[in-house]
Amino acid sequence: MTLPAAGPEPGSYAVDLRSGRVGRVMAYLGPDAYLRPLGGGREWECPPGELKAASFSELLRARVRECNAQGRLP
């Protein structure tokens, strides 16, 4: 597993600049980073050049959004 020079470390939170989604960086495999949503679920791929480390406010906003979504489930 090789880490891109400017990419967030595995285990940290990052923002996918293409969609604005926040996820935990799980690994770098091949040319892509793999992120998992905050509430768990299916990982998605993102080019490392399209990632930035999530700020505290971005992480908090994403967690509140996740909690609100879970509250709407039947």
Side-chain angles (χ1 to χ4, degrees), residues 15 32 35 39 41 43 45 50 52 55-56 59 63 71 73:
V15 178
D32 291 325
L35 289 88
E43 294 179 0
E45 299 173 24
E50 295 294 329
K52 77 171 191 87
S55 68
F56 179 76
L59 182 56
R63 286 185 173 169
L73 297 176

Side-chain angles (χ1 to χ4, degrees), residues 14-39:
V15 178
D16 181 341
L17 297 174
R18 301 171 303 171
S19 64
R21 291 175 70 187
V22 177
R24 182 183 293 262
V25 178
M26 302 307 292
Y28 288 92
L29 299 172
D32 291 325
Y34 286 80
L35 289 88
R36 179 167 289 154
L38 296 181

